[in-house]
């Protein structure tokens, strides 16, 4: 096999992407919220605070915290939860119940507290295997399975736990009753810590109501808060839909994916909480426009047009639009105007953040142009060459930085310096996203007659079959998750609130590709989930 391949990119290409499924729906759609509901929610918050403070039993308190978080209202009680977990970490917790020990481990590790996986040694035999007597404990297996997904590097016991619990749950799932059966089915697809939190909360609210002894105060608050936040999300969807309609890519850029609503859905996975409203709107616009740029380079622009746009972006002034074709002029000016609008929305002390966003777009477009140039030349890059460029063109490094731009004081200058140095957490996040995309999107990418993928380059370099290469990529994906978990535990000057955004980015990417079958590129696969989060309020 030569280091070149036959390229068909001599002129324009095209790809029949699924159309926009929502049109102007969210411009007129609204979820009305009565003031009495907000008043009732405020009252219930105080009731739940009393519950948290008054609970004395350790297991009862852990269960309460886990339930509150699972229902999507943990953000309302963050101070109380932090205090409980800090005290919990200082205690000596003894239990022989697998569910209780796994819950203790998950709560502490998920919140950045150091805790050894040796806590599970008591559940193993002398030969190092988990006791077969555990195999009928469905709730315990599910808790251990979810805890094991928080594995860091060199934790063999959690590797064994993951294998043991996955097999045990697959064997048990069809004999379980709802709602446990539904929770196990979802977890086997996507473990709870890797699930999109807002969507999981929506499902769990229905399931919690089916449990034998639900706490009705917590349940009512969860329902009220879901609807209140849903109403806010709908206001934001209206704002970005109006912005998108003014841009009008459907008429002027028909070659590109029209994904403004799907972009917002993705960002809801990164941060759904009300206090991040500004950040959500900014990042949804950034992702939607980055998608247009990606498709411009991938499926439409000639090499010369790719070069002209890249040069214009490097200069970053509106006069440079004069050299561009009309459709590229629209893309370029919309990009500059978006960054200007974002800068105008920022407080005076925050305006420096816009320069990081602009540099992120420049770096992204350099990677797009490199790929376009290789494609036009018919160049077959080495695995390492292809990997390094594709980690940038995945857009994850740029989006991690962009996710900080609209956040509050927690997004410090030190945080922007950190994220732009491509720390291992960002590198691991980019690798996980890239490896998942290459494996799941392999057939689609080939239908586009694109540059050889990272997977193609690895197969060629290692003289390996696709199936064997996929196994290696899946191993690297698991390693990337372990590094992400590790980074979450390591001390850094960057706030955990920011670190969590990066983790959520990849968790949502995982859900879109694995749980929703490449839902961003195939929006019919996620339409029902969008309806669930933004169209259908809960009955109180």
């Amino acid at each position: 096999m030569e280091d070149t391949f036959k390229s068909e990119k001599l002129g324009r290409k095209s790809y029949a992407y699924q159309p926009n499924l929502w049109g102007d729906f969210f411009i007129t759609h609204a979820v009305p919220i009565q003031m009495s509901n907000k008043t009732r929610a405020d009252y219930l918050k105080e009731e739940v605070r009393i519950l948290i403070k008054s609970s004395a039993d350790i297991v009862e308190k852990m269960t309460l915290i886990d339930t509150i978080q699972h229902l999507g209202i943990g953000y309302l009680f963050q101070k109380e939860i932090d205090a409980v977990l800090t005290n919990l970490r200082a205690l000596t917790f003894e239990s022989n119940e697998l569910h209780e020990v796994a819950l203790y481990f998950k709560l502490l590790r998920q919140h950045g507290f150091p805790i050894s996986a040796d806590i599970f040694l008591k559940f193993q035999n002398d030969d190092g295997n988990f006791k077969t007597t555990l195999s009928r404990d469905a709730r315990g297996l599910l808790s251990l399975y979810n805890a094991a997904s928080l594995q860091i590097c060199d934790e063999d016991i959690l590797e064994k736990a993951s294998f043991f619990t996955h097999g045990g749950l697959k064997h048990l799932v069809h004999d379980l009753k709802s709602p446990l059966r539904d929770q196990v089915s979802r977890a086997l697809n996507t473990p709870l810590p890797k699930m999109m939190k807002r969507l999981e909360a929506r499902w769990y609210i229905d399931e919690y109501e089916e449990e034998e002894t639900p706490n009705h105060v917590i349940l009512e608050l969860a329902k009220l808060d879901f609807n209140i936040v849903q109403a806010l999300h709908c206001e934001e969807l209206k704002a970005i839909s109006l912005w998108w309609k003014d841009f009008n890519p459907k008429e002027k850029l028909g070659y590109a994916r029209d994904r403004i609503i799907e972009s917002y859905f993705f960002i809801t996975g990164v941060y759904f909480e009300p206090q991040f409203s500004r950040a959500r709107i900014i990042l949804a616009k950034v992702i939607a426009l980055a998608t247009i740029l990606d498709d411009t380079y991938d499926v439409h622009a000639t090499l010369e047009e790719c070069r002209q746009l890249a040069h214009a972006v490097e200069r970053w002034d509106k006069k440079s639009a004069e050299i561009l074709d009309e459709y590229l002029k629209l893309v370029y000016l919309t990009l500059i105007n978006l960054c200007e609008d974002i800068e105008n929305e920022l407080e005076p002390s925050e305006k420096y953040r816009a320069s990081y966003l602009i540099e992120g777009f420049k770096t992204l477009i350099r990677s797009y142009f490199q790929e376009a140039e290789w494609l036009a030349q018919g160049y077959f890059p080495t695995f390492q060459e292809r990997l390094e460029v594709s980690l940038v063109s995945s857009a994850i490094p740029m989006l991690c930085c962009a996710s900080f731009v609209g956040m509050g004081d927690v997004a410090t200058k030190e945080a922007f310096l950190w994220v732009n140095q491509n720390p291992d957490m960002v590198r691991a996040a980019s690798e996980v996203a890239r490896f998942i995309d290459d494996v799941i999107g392999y057939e689609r990418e080939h239908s586009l007659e694109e540059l050889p993928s990272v997977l193609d380059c690895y197969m060629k370099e290692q003289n390996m079959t696709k199936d064997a290469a996929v196994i290696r990529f899946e191993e690297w994906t698991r390693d990337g998750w372990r590094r992400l978990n590790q980074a979450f535990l390591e001390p850094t000057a960057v706030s955990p609130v920011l670190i969590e955004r990066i983790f959520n980015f990849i968790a949502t990417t995982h859900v879109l590709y694995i749980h929703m079958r490449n839902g961003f590129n195939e929006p019919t696969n996620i339409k029902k989930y969008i309806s669930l989060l933004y169209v259908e309020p809960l009955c109180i």
Side-chain angles (χ1 to χ4, degrees), residues 149-347:
S149 72
L150 298 170
Q151 176 189 4
I152 61 176
C153 303
D154 301 319
E155 281 190 319
D156 292 341
I157 188 171
L158 290 187
E159 189 74 29
K160 289 181 179 180
S162 182
F163 180 80
F164 171 74
T165 53
H166 188 273
L169 290 169
K170 281 188 72 174
H171 180 73
L172 292 175
V173 61
H174 298 298
D175 297 327
L176 299 175
K177 294 181 179 179
S178 185
L180 184 58
R181 181 184 59 222
D182 302 323
Q183 292 161 18
V184 169
S185 295
R186 277 202 309 279
L188 286 172
N189 198 311
T190 304
L192 187 58
K194 296 179 183 178
M195 179 54 79
M196 183 178 173
K197 292 182 176 63
R198 180 67 171 172
L199 191 58
E200 177 64 27
R202 177 60 185 82
W203 284 323
Y204 187 60
I205 288 171
D206 288 342
E207 293 163 358
Y208 184 63
E209 197 164 14
E210 293 180 41
E211 292 189 0
E212 292 181 6
T213 56
N215 183 303
H216 292 285
V217 172
I218 296 174
L219 179 62
E220 184 184 358
L221 176 59
K223 287 183 175 183
L224 285 169
D225 187 72
F226 183 91
N227 287 354
I228 291 168
V229 174
Q230 184 184 68
L232 173 63
H233 289 172
C234 287
E235 290 176 12
E236 295 168 3
L237 279 163
K238 178 178 180 179
I240 64 170
S241 294
L242 287 168
W243 171 77
W244 196 246
K245 186 176 182 178
D246 186 56
F247 176 26
N248 195 16
K250 179 181 178 181
E251 296 297 325
K252 302 172 183 176
L253 305 170
Y255 61 86
R257 285 168 289 177
D258 189 346
R259 297 289 184 268
I260 188 63
I261 304 303
E262 291 76 13
S263 295
Y264 185 86
F265 177 78
F266 185 98
I267 296 316
T268 305
V270 178
Y271 26 36
F272 71 86
E273 300 89 342
Q275 65 266 34
F276 300 127
S277 179
R278 181 181 70 167
R280 246 187 325 273
I281 292 173
I282 287 173
L283 195 53
K285 292 179 179 179
V286 167
I287 287 185
L289 196 51
T291 302
I292 296 288
L293 288 164
D294 185 20
D295 292 340
T296 298
Y297 274 85
D298 265 4
V299 303
H300 192 72
T302 65
L303 180 63
E304 183 55 31
E305 289 173 340
C306 289
R307 180 180 290 108
Q308 289 174 352
L309 180 56
H311 288 171
V313 169
E314 291 293 340
R315 288 191 290 272
W316 202 265
D317 66 85
K318 292 184 179 180
K319 291 182 180 179
S320 296
E322 296 171 3
I323 66 169
L324 300 175
D325 189 270
E326 283 303 310
Y327 86 96
L328 286 181
K329 189 179 295 184
L330 172 65
V331 174
Y332 178 64
L333 291 177
T334 301
L335 174 60
I336 288 184
N337 289 336
L338 173 62
C339 292
E340 287 181 353
D341 290 345
I342 290 171
E343 183 175 7
N344 290 335
E345 286 183 39
L346 298 174
E347 298 296 327

Side-chain angles (χ1 to χ4, degrees), residues 76-103:
L76 297 172
F77 309 102
Q78 200 56 59
K79 288 182 180 178
E80 291 82 2
I81 290 172
D82 288 345
V84 167
L85 295 179
T86 299
N87 292 333
L88 189 63
R89 180 68 185 92
L91 296 174
T92 300
F93 179 67
E94 294 290 344
S95 174
N96 291 316
E97 293 293 325
L98 180 59
H99 166 70
E100 294 174 2
V101 175
L103 178 58

Side-chain angles (χ1 to χ4, degrees), residues 106-119:
K106 180 176 76 77
L107 285 174
L108 290 177
R109 177 159 288 190
Q110 207 165 21
H111 288 81
F113 290 91
I115 180 171
S116 172
D118 289 349
I119 195 172

Side-chain angles (χ1 to χ4, degrees), residues 31-46 49 75-76 220-221 223-233 235 274 540:
V31 178
I33 291 294
Q34 297 178 358
M35 186 56 66
S36 60
N37 287 346
K38 292 185 177 181
T39 303
R40 175 66 177 168
D42 288 340
Y43 169 77
L44 292 172
K45 288 176 199 174
E46 295 309 312
R49 285 194 176 92
Y75 76 96
L76 297 172
E220 184 184 358
L221 176 59
K223 287 183 175 183
L224 285 169
D225 187 72
F226 183 91
N227 287 354
I228 291 168
V229 174
Q230 184 184 68
L232 173 63
H233 289 172
E235 290 176 12
I540 308 299

